[in-house]
Amino acid sequence: MNELQKKVIDLKNEKGALILAHYYQTIDIQEVADHVCDSFEMARRARDAQEGLLIICGVRFMAESAKILNPGKTVLLPSPDAGCPMADMVTPEAVLELRRRHPGAAVVCYVNSSASVKAVSDVCCTSSSAVKIVRSLPGKSVIFIPDKNLGSYVASLIPEKDVILYDGYCPAHNNITEADVTAARAAHPGARLLMHPECRPEALRHADYIGSTAGIIEDALATDAESFIIGTESGVTERLELLAPGKTFHPLVSAFICPDMKKTTLADVLESLERGRHEIYLSDEEISAAGACLERMVAIG
């Protein structure tokens, strides 16, 4: 552990803060976090947090979700410009138009979305809970926003539902092609291929396992295979190398990076603790409207 990490931990303890980090964060940040999580676990941990100060090492929608689920706490996002291109692809107006065109359809909103979009949706989901949540809804029709790839994956597992897709996607995962998968298989014969459902359907059909970041990590640690191809952001590959040094992990492509997830540095985390930067503010109306959507996710998921 380096000196900067020690400073972060000392100040975190002094201020009684809780640091939550997503798996896509850099390893030096993961090592100082109280919990390293996927989006669902991060939301649950934030909701149940007793600490008065929450440091969210991730992107803006994660910090907003923490504030919505635990509005009495101070929530800080160390890198204020860490956003999510997928979240920016959908607006409340687009959701309301889909509702108008498909009356009676429930709106399932991927957690990778803004507070304002959550406010006009029925229930949130994460990649780990999407299938369970869509299956739990009473009606036949579901509007799934914004990720068309995750929505397609969910639809393939629940054919009895009419899943209406929105044309959003994660650029990092959507860029993975079937040719990339074929090349990785050829480069690492016999390796077990683990992929995130934000990837395209034609790429996913080659996977040995499809799941959330937490699910990918769990599969890699639990199975007897010794070599793996990791089809999600490089932070997961690095996390697995830390957790299972006796196994071999290959990124599906050489630069599988979410630029926004990498904006947060350890120095940003320290400055956030030292100076209270950068606090998430949401109106009572936003918290109330979006809160029901997130609370349903946590309750079902």
Side-chain angles (χ1 to χ4, degrees):
M1 184 166 291
N2 62 41
E3 287 302 314
L4 191 55
Q5 288 177 308
K6 290 175 183 175
K7 285 182 180 180
V8 168
I9 291 173
D10 288 345
L11 194 53
K12 175 196 74 171
N13 292 336
E14 178 186 322
K15 296 205 170 188
L18 179 74
I19 298 179
L20 300 177
H22 193 273
Y23 288 120
Y24 295 168
Q25 294 290 289
T26 56
I27 287 296
D28 58 349
I29 291 175
Q30 293 187 33
E31 287 176 338
V32 300
D34 294 289
H35 303 287
V36 182
C37 322
D38 65 0
S39 297
F40 178 78
E41 183 66 11
M42 185 176 284
R44 191 184 70 79
R45 294 278 185 182
R47 182 199 62 178
D48 296 342
Q50 299 301 307
E51 294 83 357
L53 178 61
L54 309 183
I55 311 296
I56 305 300
C57 299
V59 295
R60 177 161 293 273
F61 77 79
M62 296 174 179
E64 287 185 345
S65 295
K67 185 66 176 179
I68 292 164
L69 288 166
N70 208 334
K73 309 300 184 182
T74 299
V75 177
L76 304 180
L77 181 66
S79 180
D81 62 341
C84 173
M86 184 199 300
D88 293 339
M89 291 177 188
V90 63
T91 63
E93 293 75 21
V95 178
L96 293 174
E97 174 60 20
L98 282 168
R99 282 192 180 279
R100 187 192 65 78
R101 287 163 47 193
H102 304 282
V107 177
V108 177
C109 175
Y110 194 23
V111 74
N112 301 41
S113 55
S114 67
S116 60
V117 166
K118 291 178 175 73
V120 293
S121 302
D122 293 307
V123 60
C124 271
C125 72
T126 64
S127 54
S128 60
S129 64
V131 172
K132 183 177 181 180
I133 284 173
V134 171
R135 186 172 278 134
S136 75
L137 298 173
K140 178 175 174 59
S141 295
V142 172
I143 297 166
F144 194 95
I145 59 170
D147 186 6
K148 63 182 178 181
N149 292 327
L150 177 59
S152 294
Y153 173 68
V154 170
S156 72
L157 296 180
I158 316 175
E160 65 273 18
K161 295 283 189 182
D162 177 20
V163 180
I164 300 151
L165 302 176
Y166 184 82
D167 192 23
Y169 54 87
C170 165
H173 288 89
N174 194 63
N175 281 344
I176 299 302
T177 66
E178 195 168 18
D180 290 328
V181 175
T182 302
R185 286 283 203 192
H188 310 292
R192 182 169 170 81
L193 174 59
L194 315 181
M195 295 188 69
H196 196 284
E198 288 180 11
C199 294
R200 298 182 187 194
E202 61 269 26
L204 287 178
R205 69 188 184 91
H206 298 279
D208 297 305
Y209 172 85
I210 301 169
S212 67
T213 49
I216 287 172
I217 290 170
E218 182 179 345
D219 182 274
L221 296 179
T223 57
D224 292 334
E226 295 183 356
S227 179
F228 299 83
I229 301 166
I230 305 301
T232 192
E233 214 272 351
S234 64
V236 173
T237 305
E238 293 167 0
R239 180 76 177 170
L240 283 166
E241 288 171 342
L242 191 68
L243 295 175
K247 295 185 176 185
T248 304
F249 302 98
H250 312 280
L252 197 156
V253 292
S254 59
F256 208 144
I257 300 291
C258 171
D260 281 88
M261 278 288 188
K262 300 308 191 201
K263 285 180 178 177
T264 305
T265 67
L266 194 60
D268 292 331
V269 179
L270 180 60
E271 184 182 31
S272 187
L273 282 163
E274 288 175 334
R275 303 176 60 185
R277 300 180 69 182
H278 299 266
E279 187 167 356
I280 297 295
Y281 294 101
L282 296 171
S283 69
D284 292 342
E285 292 77 14
E286 286 177 305
I287 289 171
S288 176
C293 183
L294 275 167
E295 286 287 0
R296 291 188 194 108
M297 175 190 80
V298 177
I300 297 170

